[in-house]
Amino acid sequence: MLSARDLFQEILDEDESFRLFCSIAAGGEAQGGWENGRIAALVPESQRALAPRIARHGADEDKHGRIFHALLRKRGLRPVEVPPGTDYTMLLERRGIGLAHERLARRDPLTERDIITYLAHSRVTEQRASEQMALLRRHFGDHPGIGRALRMIADDEDNHLAYCHEELLRLAGAGHGRTIQRLLRECALAEIRVYRDVSLAVMDHMGRILGWSRTRASVLAAGIHLVHAYERLGGWRRMVRLEQPERRDALGGPVPGEAEPF
């Protein structure tokens, strides 16, 4: 059976598959950076204390996008257009999850409910990002070409997840607990479907680039469906639990600067 390490090693070793992987990752991070930047600019007066943390979140996402572009440049590669079926952020938006780009493009201040919606969406998606980066860090954290980049991004994702826990708990204590739990559940159930669909789309593209046999592609697709079945049966609940994080005020530091070469 092909392990996660073996699969990513194969993607890493081939220029075209690595190019697609970094392009998809950079595109998602850039979208996240823009979204957080707009939210920070539109925070309502009642939540103004959150604005610097949201801006820091966006700056981190922008930094991650630059890191993935730097990894491409290091191998003499240029980014490719992200296939529509692999656009995780936009597919979530089409399911009504999070704040729509059309809403964020306007200049009208957000409401407190909008901020709760944003944080619930981020709590769920940052859980996924933290888990994925922890897996890559475990297997490739010492890799001479990408290890440092993976460690940096993984640490940031852990900070983002801690921040979401802390802020949602604060808002729950202010009387928004039921709304938060309902939004978290809606986000989690939508996210696991989108994650399945995006995973299948990415593996389809990778399979064509790497010349996988029909049998191998079918086995990988079956594994993705198996993960989705587990998450539907109850695995999604890990995405909605709230607990005080060990890292407190995780986004309270200075906004990061330019990404260093990798």
Side-chain angles (χ1 to χ4, degrees):
M1 184 68 179
L2 189 67
S3 69
R5 178 187 175 86
D6 292 337
L7 177 61
F8 189 72
Q9 185 68 61
E10 189 173 357
I11 292 170
L12 178 63
D13 289 344
E14 165 61 44
D15 278 352
E16 286 305 308
S17 55
F18 183 71
R19 188 182 182 201
L20 179 60
F21 168 79
C22 287
S23 297
I24 292 171
E29 298 289 356
Q31 287 187 63
W34 181 84
E35 290 173 4
N36 279 277
R38 291 302 300 153
I39 292 167
L42 299 173
V43 168
E45 193 60 38
S46 64
Q47 298 295 324
R48 287 308 301 171
L50 262 181
R53 294 175 175 83
I54 299 172
R56 166 66 187 272
H57 190 176
D60 282 346
E61 303 286 5
D62 285 335
K63 178 185 70 176
H64 299 168
R66 295 194 300 271
I67 288 172
F68 283 114
H69 282 298
L71 292 175
L72 287 173
R73 288 195 302 272
K74 185 177 180 180
R75 283 176 58 162
L77 302 171
R78 295 178 63 84
V80 296
E81 186 175 349
V82 176
T86 67
D87 194 332
Y88 173 80
T89 303
M90 292 309 297
L91 289 173
L92 279 172
E93 181 178 334
R94 287 175 193 167
R95 287 188 173 270
I97 301 304
L99 299 177
H101 281 198
E102 180 184 358
R103 172 67 182 90
L104 295 179
R106 301 201 302 265
R107 296 186 177 183
D108 305 333
L110 298 173
T111 65
E112 193 166 86
R113 169 62 181 270
D114 289 331
I115 296 301
I116 295 170
T117 297
Y118 149 71
L119 285 168
H121 167 257
S122 295
R123 157 71 184 98
V124 170
T125 56
E126 292 297 341
Q127 177 79 38
R128 183 74 70 184
S130 179
E131 290 171 354
Q132 289 182 321
M133 292 309 304
L135 179 66
L136 291 176
R137 176 172 52 189
R138 183 163 66 249
H139 292 310
F140 295 93
D142 294 328
H143 189 281
I146 64 170
R148 180 165 165 262
L150 294 180
R151 294 193 306 271
M152 178 179 290
I153 295 172
D155 190 59
D156 286 345
E157 301 297 3
D158 289 344
N159 283 338
H160 299 166
L161 184 56
Y163 148 78
C164 292
H165 275 273
E166 192 168 21
E167 296 303 334
L168 284 169
L169 283 170
R170 177 181 63 81
L171 287 163
H176 300 288
R178 288 188 178 181
T179 299
I180 289 168
Q181 282 303 315
R182 181 174 58 78
L183 288 172
L184 284 172
R185 186 177 188 277
E186 289 175 2
C187 287
L189 292 176
E191 193 279 342
I192 63 173
R193 291 192 296 271
V194 169
Y195 180 70
R196 175 202 59 194
D197 294 344
V198 168
S199 297
L200 290 169
V202 170
M203 288 300 103
D204 181 60
H205 286 283
M206 292 298 180
R208 283 189 268 116
I209 291 171
L210 296 168
W212 291 341
S213 67
R214 182 174 297 181
T215 300
R216 188 179 194 189
S218 296
V219 169
L220 287 170
I224 291 168
H225 284 294
L226 187 62
V227 169
H228 178 249
Y230 156 74
E231 293 193 326
R232 278 190 64 192
L233 288 171
W236 61 271
R237 296 183 187 280
R238 75 191 189 283
M239 295 178 159
V240 305
R241 286 193 293 268
L242 293 176
E243 55 191 10
Q244 283 294 352
E246 292 183 11
R247 302 184 184 197
R248 304 299 294 271
D249 196 22
L251 296 188
V255 174
E258 291 294 318
E260 297 180 26
F262 290 90

